[in-house]
Structures are given as C-alpha cells and as structure tokens.
Amino acid sequence: MAPTFLIVGTTGNAGQAVTQTLSTILQAHETFSNHRVLAVARSLSSPAARNLAKVAGVEVIEYNWTDITADWLHEQPVVRAFIASHTAPNQFAAESVSHVAALKAGVEYIVRISTTAPNVRPDFEAYYPRQHWAIEALLGSAEFSALAWTSLQPNVFLNHYLAVLAEYIKQYRQAGEQGTLRLTAAKDAPVAPIHPDEVGIFAAHLLAQRDLSAHNRAKYIMNGPEDIAGKQMVGLVEQHIGTKVKDVNYQDSSFVDALLDSGFGGPGQSKTVIGSIRYAVSTMWEGKCNASTTSKEVLKIAAPKRTPAEVLRSLLEE
C-alpha cells in the first residue's frame, strides 16, 4: 500500500480544502507523487464526502477518528496527518488519543487546528482554548520529541462571523421589515476573520513540505487579509438593503444561550462549562485579533485573500 497522508475532519470547516489542495499538490510533487490521500468521514453519504470521493488521488472512508490506533496507522500506512478536532468538553481526551497513536506508529508530521491565538493559554475563561493549550503542551513535551507538528491558530471563521449579516439581509428582502441586528462584534474593535478554506489551503502546503525543520513545533497565527469592526459590518448590511439599520446590538452573546438550549456537547454537560464560551470573544473586543498579528510564514506560503465583502456576497447566493 502506498504511503499515506491522513485527513481527520475531512468534511468539517477546513478539511475539504485540505483534501482538495493536497491532492492537487501531490500529483506534481517530486517527493510525494506516489503517496495517497486518505480522508476519514463520519458518513460516506454526506454531500461533502461524496464530492471528495470524486477528487483524483483521494480515498474517503467511513471511520470514527477517535478509534484510531497505532496499529491502524501502521496498516494504512500513514506518514503525515491533518487533524481538526471538535470543540466539545472531551476534546483533549479524543484528540490526544490520535497524537499518542501517531507517536507510537512513527508518523512523521501532524498539522492540527487550534483556535484564536490570544485565547490559547491555561488561564483563559472559556473552556475550549484551554484544551487547545493542553494539546499543544502535550505535543511540546520531551516525550513527543520524535513527532513533528505544527498547530494552526486561526481567527474566527469568516463565513460563521458574517452568517448573521446574511440572515438579516435575507429576512429584510423577504419581509421588508427590520429587526435588531445582533452582532458579537464590538463597534470599533478591528477583527480579521479568516475563511476556513484558506486555513485548509495553508495546512495542505505545510503537509507537502519536504523539509519540516522550519515548521516543527511552530504555532502559526492565521487571520484574514482585512480588518472589520462592528460598525463596518453594519455598513455592509446597509449596502445590501439600501437603507440605514435602525437597531444594532453590539457585543451580543445571546448565541451562547442558543448553544445551551441546543444540547451542545451531548447529554450531561455542565452549563457552566459550555456557557464559558461567551468569554471566547473577549479578545476580539479588546482588539487583539487583527490582521497585523498574522504569522509571516502564512503570508509567505499561502496568504489569505478572501475579504468580508466577498464572502458576504457568496453567503447571500446560497
């Protein structure tokens, strides 16, 4: 069996772009042209999985990634991997299983998705950035010195950040009436959200690097190319509806209440733990998540290009 690049989180936010981009790169790669791309999906019947199965050089299988073992990685045989975990409270337990298995199996390199860089610290109030900090601490330990890795720390995803704008515009066009525009953004704080496809594209380029030394144990901050503050988001809405927005609620965290009501994370979860997600946006309000913080390696290898105005237009076409 050909040596394999494994993609975990294939049908998620960045996984599709990783899979498609890596397949294209490998076809003409001097070193890795004989390697295959193995994409793990929860279901082969999903539209994303079916589309990826059509991509040249990609094999999509239905497999629970938390069941990955060192033996399974040997059998495939996996040499490099991309991992995009969920953000439920058991993330550390689930993702660390894969890293331990990779270490035992002699996998060369892992690229993983973390979260907004200023939040990744042990004392952050929201629970899931602490989990990412713990994973990075695990990978950075002496015990994991044989496994090369890079952790990507992307800003909030642009399509998610602007979804409320698209929904507001669509409802106005349908009903001709305005409601309250609720934005998690602060009115004046610049934020540079990034499209998940561009995170995936950069991850694919890292996976295809022949020399890993420059990227081993690196943590790369990823932002979009443009800053946008809450008042500018309102301006985008006004451009599309042709009138002034009458009522705006900035720094709105009502999305957390909806998340709690949805049962996120499964039964038996602590509402205090899940509810701590409301603190995740605090660093954006403080102006710590702007385009100037993007790592130079990101700009050199695969600089993000998609702007808020462009992505909003695409959301309105869906």
Side-chain angles (χ1 to χ4, degrees):
M1 188 178 297
T4 299
F5 286 78
L6 175 67
I7 311 298
V8 170
T10 303
T11 58
N13 289 313
Q16 296 179 62
V18 175
T19 306
Q20 293 169 335
T21 305
L22 184 60
S23 173
T24 300
I25 293 172
L26 296 189
Q27 289 177 44
H29 203 287
E30 293 180 3
T31 305
F32 302 127
S33 60
N34 66 330
H35 288 48
R36 67 170 180 153
V37 178
L38 180 63
V40 172
R42 287 190 297 269
S43 171
L44 294 179
S45 62
S46 70
R50 290 199 301 268
N51 288 335
L52 290 173
K54 301 174 185 176
V55 177
V58 174
E59 179 183 351
V60 183
I61 63 170
E62 190 170 295
Y63 197 81
N64 184 347
W65 70 275
T66 59
D67 291 332
I68 289 174
T69 64
D71 287 342
W72 186 88
L73 292 170
H74 268 304
E75 291 167 2
Q76 287 313 313
V78 174
V79 292
R80 298 187 179 190
F82 168 82
I83 295 179
S85 181
H86 56 69
T87 57
N90 69 332
Q91 178 203 336
F92 179 85
E95 185 178 344
S96 62
V97 165
S98 298
H99 296 309
V100 171
L103 177 67
K104 301 300 182 184
V107 173
E108 296 174 357
Y109 181 48
I110 285 178
V111 177
R112 66 174 300 273
I113 300 292
S114 181
T115 191
T116 312
N119 299 2
V120 185
R121 60 180 202 251
D123 63 340
F124 197 71
E125 290 180 276
Y127 77 88
Y128 70 90
R130 296 197 303 270
Q131 295 188 136
H132 283 295
W133 172 85
I135 288 289
E136 291 176 353
L138 175 145
L139 290 171
S141 66
E143 289 81 358
F144 275 79
S145 60
L147 176 63
W149 59 274
T150 302
S151 192
L152 307 184
Q153 299 178 330
N155 206 337
V156 62
F157 288 148
L158 186 51
N159 51 337
H160 297 170
Y161 200 55
L162 300 185
V164 65
L165 305 190
E167 184 62 25
Y168 187 92
I169 293 166
K170 289 177 179 178
Q171 289 185 359
Y172 178 81
R173 288 174 174 174
Q174 183 177 17
E177 297 179 355
Q178 291 190 27
T180 300
L181 177 58
R182 301 183 183 278
L183 301 177
T184 56
K187 183 177 181 179
D188 296 305
V191 176
I194 184 169
H195 197 281
D197 284 355
E198 299 195 297
V199 178
I201 290 168
F202 179 65
H205 281 277
L206 287 179
L207 287 167
Q209 296 288 310
R210 284 188 290 270
D211 182 2
L212 299 175
S213 59
H215 308 292
N216 185 20
R217 302 197 166 204
K219 303 170 189 177
Y220 291 143
I221 299 173
M222 301 192 68
N223 300 296
E226 287 187 6
D227 290 328
I228 186 168
K231 61 185 178 184
Q232 294 167 317
M233 295 171 71
V234 174
L236 285 177
V237 172
E238 292 173 344
Q239 290 175 26
H240 284 277
I241 67 174
T243 188
K244 291 289 184 181
V245 175
K246 297 176 182 178
D247 186 19
V248 183
N249 188 13
Y250 295 104
Q251 296 180 231
D252 185 275
S253 59
S254 59
F255 71 94
V256 178
D257 298 323
L259 197 65
L260 289 170
D261 292 340
S262 73
F264 175 77
Q269 297 295 339
S270 164
K271 289 189 175 181
T272 300
V273 172
I274 302 297
S276 70
I277 288 176
R278 72 180 70 253
Y279 299 108
V281 294
S282 62
T283 50
M284 294 195 296
W285 298 345
E286 295 165 1
K288 295 179 179 178
C289 304
N290 55 67
S292 68
T293 64
T294 302
S295 296
K296 64 180 185 303
E297 292 85 357
V298 176
L299 300 177
K300 180 180 179 181
I301 294 173
K305 299 176 182 178
R306 300 193 68 178
T307 66
E310 173 193 348
V311 172
L312 180 57
R313 286 194 298 269
S314 68
L315 291 173
L316 292 172
E317 293 170 358
E318 294 179 353

